[in-house]
Amino acid sequence: MARAGLTTERLVRAGAELADEVGFEQVTVSALARRFDVKVASLYSHLKNSQDLKTRIALLALEEMADRATDALAGRAGRDALTAFADVYRDYAREHPGRYAAAQFRLDPETAAASAGVKHAQMTRAILRGYHLTEPEQTHAVRMLGSVFHGYVSLEAAGGFSHSAPDSQESWSRILDALDALLRNWPAS
């Protein structure tokens, strides 16, 4: 029987905290059991295995970021919406590095289709409609934005911009200005 007080939600949240502390790749059911000072077997009534735990952390991270993005985008359009959306990703990665890594975890198609990842795509496309992009250009732009945001956030987290001036915030602002200009003048196919 599982230890009293342990629930799937509590374990997933503790796993997410552990990911932020030690890195997403280090999160396992065994590590979580040590955190609660219980035997690994006592967690199996809540979690199938470490893959299940990582999937659930990924879903939590996607949901948390989607909630933040929804709040940040309310009433915004154009560059303001683009900046707010980008800042959600960057801020979340800074505050929750393990969870941010979890949000990149590969989900099976059925799980992905039912996740908050769909909300992220919908919000990105809503921003792009403000730039009057239609398909297939919208898909190209979605991929570009995701690549730029994730690439910048990943390099910044790894310390890639800490060794020289100007400050990375200045570069981030310039990149968002450039993306806005590119989106306003997107080349037609």
Side-chain angles (χ1 to χ4, degrees):
M1 176 181 243
R3 185 178 205 174
L6 291 184
T7 64
T8 303
E9 181 180 348
R10 185 170 177 215
L11 292 170
V12 171
R13 291 212 171 270
E17 291 169 10
L18 184 62
D20 288 338
E21 294 166 16
V22 301
F24 181 63
E25 291 303 315
Q26 304 306 313
V27 175
T28 63
V29 173
S30 297
L32 197 56
R34 285 191 298 276
R35 186 176 199 108
F36 284 98
D37 195 28
V38 298
K39 293 187 185 300
V40 173
S42 66
L43 302 187
Y44 287 129
S45 62
H46 302 287
L47 302 164
K48 294 176 191 171
N49 51 37
S50 292
Q51 177 80 9
D52 181 39
L53 173 61
K54 287 185 173 188
T55 297
R56 289 172 185 270
I57 294 169
L59 294 172
L60 172 67
L62 288 168
E63 190 68 42
E64 288 176 342
M65 286 195 303
D67 290 346
R68 285 185 181 199
T70 299
D71 291 344
L73 289 173
R76 296 177 189 262
R79 188 191 188 290
D80 287 342
L82 177 68
T83 299
F85 192 64
D87 285 344
V88 164
Y89 282 83
R90 186 174 180 224
D91 293 346
Y92 190 83
R94 288 172 158 180
E95 293 168 30
H96 300 291
R99 292 179 208 204
Y100 180 78
Q104 313 310 312
F105 189 63
R106 187 179 187 103
L107 302 172
D108 66 75
E110 186 177 317
T111 303
S115 78
V118 174
K119 292 179 193 175
H120 292 265
Q122 290 169 340
M123 286 185 275
T124 306
R125 289 180 183 281
I127 292 166
L128 293 173
R129 279 193 300 276
Y131 288 99
H132 308 293
L133 293 181
T134 58
E135 286 302 337
E137 301 310 317
Q138 204 176 81
T139 296
H140 297 310
V142 166
R143 292 173 179 166
M144 177 192 68
L145 292 176
S147 298
V148 171
F149 298 163
H150 179 66
Y152 194 90
V153 164
S154 297
L155 288 169
E156 186 176 44
F161 306 135
S162 62
H163 59 279
S164 63
D167 181 72
S168 65
Q169 178 58 44
E170 186 177 336
S171 296
W172 180 248
S173 294
R174 297 284 300 264
I175 288 167
L176 295 177
D177 286 342
L179 288 172
D180 175 63
L182 175 61
L183 292 169
R184 280 186 281 112
N185 299 294
W186 191 268
S189 57

